[in-house]
Amino acid sequence: MSDPFLIGAAMTGGYGATDILHDCTIAVEKGQIAVIVGPNGAGKSTAMKAVFGMLNLRGGSVRLNGEDITKLSPQDRVARGMAFVPQTHNIFTSMTVEENLEMGAFLRRDDIKATLEQVYHLFPILKTKRHQPAGELSGGQRQQVAVGRALMTQPQVLMLDEPTAGVSPIVMDELFDRIIEVARSGISILMVEQNARQALNIADKGYVLVQGANRYTDTGAALLADPDVRRSFLGG
Amino acid sequence: MDLLNALVAFLNFVVIPAASYGAQLAVGALGVTLIFGILRFSNFAWGDTMAFGTMAVILLTWLFQSLGISIAPLPTALLALPFAILITSALLLGTDRVVYRFYRKQKAKPIILVIVSAGVMFVMNGLVRIIIGTQEQNFADGGRFLISAGDFKAWTGLAEGLAIKGTTAVTLVTALLTMAALFWFLQKTRTGKSMRAFSDNEDLALLSGINPDRVVQVTWVIAAALAVIAGTLYGLDKSFRPFIYFSLLLPIFAAAVVGGLGSPMGAVAGGFVVAFSEIIVTYAWKKVITYVVPQSWAPDSLMQLLSTDYKFAVSFSILIIVLLFMPNGLFNKGK
């Protein structure tokens, strides 16, 4: 079996002396949605940051499209087609919505108008608010700006760290719909989520992490159907 | 009562000098606020950076004068500006390479960078004193007056004269052009926007592929331009002395803090707030008041709130009041 499009294989490492991740594997196929769920402190965000190169791995590797990128800096990974939306501080609050999107496309030297229109098509509210400072928008709209900024690089992989943290259930559903739409356009999505049930609902692949290690790995639907997973992580 | 003469005296002795001084402070405060916003520390070497830049302008002015190059009626110093900006840029980029970069790589706390900049201040101060000496230098040439008090009196028949010095006009026009250029650069250009993004959210700027080294370099070059322009305008209007430039640090920081450190609009507003406060408090109001009130009420004293020796007390007071009641400044919404 060939490698998935993006894989963090057998990753071991942490921020300081102690390891947070233990032999943890996360992968996503082209145009699919992979979701990382698990209890608080399970190392979900850490696993995502490890894939993006934001912490040093003691073991394991990260491969994108068959190429080993373990040693690349996050900035270099952006240039290779990976985009990351942090959980917090993920927009330029003092800049307008449009400037946020322009900054997302900073590395590009070609015409960004088409991509800008695509983002506005995906998030129509951003077009009407494009000259407003992003810091004045609501929580859900800010998340849209954050995702839009990441999409401006025309990434192959979009990584989202708890995109629905702090937004209302209606906005969450809306955001998930948009994420599915992004995946359908051929962009792979790797996402960490607190709202495990809803996230697994839209996931092609789900990873349940516990204490920095893989506990269950299966399709989203299979995990939702698994009585053990339901009992332990989805509240029955 | 003679309101017209009172108004002319008020314009001549308060509004015009304060506008000119305010513009000089505003340009200086823009540099302070830019460095604070992007490099994230208060640069105590700023006054001496201005002194160095102005020194470069003076030396070049002398060179041009000896070569017989002149752009009269404009001061020769304006011609020297671009070259002095290049020299000062080289100094600042060199200082960054040798000093600040080391601490940036270590992710040193802002307070450490402030102390480091105090060290840089002493070195630059020494450098300027060695090269040009500690004495006063007057380097303003070109037209003295745009409107002289005598001409004004002859035209209007008023007892009070309104004089506009050539250097006042040069200050206001140059400062206005500088501010317009800076705001255009920050708002409209790709590099300017990337600097604002870097100032707003450094981590996200890195994730967007913005090159931090380039942002830092561009910031130093712009800071050099602002230091040279602010220093030269001040020197043309008054005179140049290294010690005076060192002490300009106080009103300039007061201006930047009043507006809100990191906010360019605030720096401009702050510059004028500090300048007008300083001059209003230290101006002897006797003349203006004598025109306004009936003759029998005319004051005997100078009606001066504070002697000009205390003008720095005004900056200090503004600084303290702002820090107590509006620590984020007038133009910062606070983070």
Side-chain angles (χ1 to χ4, degrees):
Chain A
M1 198 184 125
S2 72
D3 247 5
F5 183 63
L6 170 69
I7 179 165
M11 299 181 294
T12 299
Y15 300 101
T18 51
D19 288 339
I20 297 173
L21 298 176
H22 305 282
D23 207 16
C24 176
T25 296
I26 305 287
V28 60
E29 297 284 355
K30 187 119 199 91
Q32 293 203 343
I33 300 176
V35 172
I36 308 170
V37 296
N40 281 334
K44 302 184 294 283
S45 292
T46 310
M48 176 102 102
K49 285 177 179 161
V51 173
F52 196 61
M54 290 166 85
L55 82 157
N56 290 326
L57 289 182
R58 232 188 298 282
S61 63
V62 182
R63 294 190 297 280
L64 177 70
N65 212 359
E67 192 188 347
D68 192 317
I69 57 166
T70 316
K71 296 274 175 264
L72 290 187
S73 69
Q75 284 89 309
D76 289 335
R77 292 178 206 219
V78 172
R80 297 291 174 96
M82 293 172 72
F84 181 65
V85 180
Q87 185 182 346
T88 55
H89 302 292
N90 51 19
I91 55 170
F92 300 110
T93 49
S94 65
M95 302 176 83
T96 66
V97 170
E98 187 145 308
E99 284 173 339
N100 267 271
L101 300 179
E102 282 173 29
M103 286 300 107
F106 189 78
L107 281 176
R108 290 175 54 188
R109 285 295 183 173
D110 53 334
D111 193 11
I112 63 165
K113 283 222 181 66
T115 321
L116 206 55
E117 278 313 314
Q118 281 168 17
V119 171
Y120 285 149
H121 183 71
L122 191 64
F123 303 117
I125 188 75
L126 297 190
K127 185 163 192 172
T128 56
K129 306 215 166 193
R130 65 184 184 275
H131 297 305
Q132 264 189 42
E136 291 177 1
L137 304 186
S138 72
Q141 291 164 354
R142 282 161 169 247
Q143 290 305 73
Q144 296 184 6
V145 174
V147 174
R149 184 205 62 83
L151 287 175
M152 288 302 292
T153 50
Q154 294 184 309
Q156 294 173 295
V157 183
L158 180 62
M159 302 173 66
L160 306 161
D161 193 352
E162 300 203 12
T164 64
V167 304
S168 70
I170 297 168
V171 174
M172 181 180 79
D173 286 347
E174 168 84 19
L175 212 51
F176 278 158
D177 285 347
R178 294 289 94 80
I179 289 167
I180 295 170
E181 219 172 298
V182 172
R184 287 215 182 104
S185 71
I187 297 173
S188 310
I189 304 226
L190 181 60
M191 152 167 100
V192 169
E193 256 304 328
Q194 284 282 1
N195 300 306
R197 186 184 295 272
Q198 291 88 338
L200 287 175
N201 245 325
I202 65 164
D204 296 296
K205 195 84 180 257
Y207 296 87
V208 181
L209 298 194
V210 176
Q211 292 183 345
N214 295 95
R215 176 68 63 91
Y216 300 97
T217 304
D218 212 325
T219 63
L223 287 175
L224 280 173
D226 186 323
D228 284 343
V229 175
R230 291 173 70 99
R231 194 171 47 244
S232 312
F233 303 106
L234 304 174
Chain B
M1 285 220 320
D2 188 349
L3 286 179
L4 211 52
N5 272 318
L7 182 69
V8 170
F10 177 66
L11 286 175
N12 192 38
F13 294 107
V14 176
V15 175
I16 291 172
S20 170
Y21 180 44
Q24 292 150 11
L25 290 184
V27 175
L30 276 173
V32 165
T33 222
L34 207 61
I35 291 176
F36 184 87
I38 291 167
L39 304 171
R40 299 175 208 287
F41 70 98
S42 300
N43 185 4
F44 277 22
W46 187 247
D48 290 292
T49 309
M50 283 168 56
F52 181 91
T54 313
M55 175 191 76
V57 166
I58 294 172
L59 296 176
L60 286 164
T61 301
W62 290 343
L63 176 70
F64 290 146
Q65 284 169 341
S66 70
L67 294 173
I69 303 172
S70 144
I71 48 170
L74 293 174
T76 314
L78 287 185
L79 191 64
L81 271 182
F83 304 99
I85 289 172
L86 283 180
I87 295 168
T88 311
S89 297
L91 175 81
L92 292 188
L93 289 173
T95 311
D96 185 72
R97 180 70 187 74
V98 177
V99 184
Y100 295 120
R101 199 175 79 147
F102 172 79
Y103 292 95
R104 201 161 52 239
K105 293 267 179 263
Q106 297 203 324
K107 299 206 183 299
K109 291 192 179 113
I111 188 64
I112 295 185
L113 280 164
V114 169
I115 305 296
V116 169
S117 79
V120 171
M121 169 184 88
F122 286 119
V123 174
M124 282 188 183
N125 194 301
L127 198 63
V128 172
R129 286 171 193 226
I130 289 170
I131 297 175
I132 203 166
T134 57
Q135 70 278 26
E136 185 166 326
Q137 310 284 351
N138 278 302
F139 61 104
D141 52 9
R144 286 288 292 139
F145 285 101
L146 212 60
I147 303 171
S148 80
D151 289 345
F152 183 86
K153 284 184 207 170
W155 292 335
T156 57
L158 288 172
E160 281 302 319
L162 182 74
I164 297 181
K165 287 196 292 182
T167 53
T168 304
V170 166
T171 289
L172 290 175
V173 172
T174 311
L176 202 69
L177 290 178
T178 305
M179 290 172 206
L182 182 67
F183 282 105
W184 174 80
F185 174 79
L186 289 177
Q187 292 299 329
K188 297 292 176 201
T189 66
R190 196 175 114 94
T191 309
K193 285 180 191 175
S194 74
M195 287 169 66
R196 279 164 53 219
F198 188 85
S199 163
D200 183 311
N201 188 336
E202 186 173 340
D203 291 331
L204 196 61
L206 296 179
L207 284 183
S208 304
I210 292 168
N211 179 352
D213 295 329
R214 204 180 129 71
V215 168
V216 168
Q217 285 165 2
V218 174
T219 305
W220 281 121
V221 171
I222 296 175
L226 293 169
V228 175
I229 293 171
T232 303
L233 295 180
Y234 185 87
L236 281 176
D237 201 22
K238 281 133 188 151
S239 70
F240 173 82
R241 258 179 70 195
F243 179 72
I244 298 289
Y245 275 60
F246 157 75
S247 55
L248 274 178
L249 204 56
L250 183 58
I252 285 178
F253 263 90
V257 171
V258 166
L261 274 171
S263 153
M265 269 318 272
V268 172
F272 288 101
V273 168
V274 169
F276 272 88
S277 313
E278 207 173 273
I279 290 182
I280 285 172
V281 171
T282 56
Y283 175 61
W285 288 91
K286 181 178 178 181
K287 189 181 244 174
V288 174
I289 292 174
T290 308
Y291 280 123
V292 175
V293 297
Q295 211 152 36
S296 55
W297 295 8
D300 294 326
S301 74
L302 283 173
M303 299 301 285
Q304 187 181 22
L305 288 171
L306 274 181
S307 133
T308 47
D309 295 337
Y310 289 109
K311 64 178 181 190
F312 286 130
V314 179
S315 307
F316 255 128
S317 312
I318 292 175
L319 205 51
I320 291 169
I321 292 169
V322 168
L323 288 176
L324 277 178
F325 296 105
M326 295 187 79
N328 283 323
L330 300 172
F331 281 74
N332 256 1
K333 291 183 196 96
K335 290 191 179 169

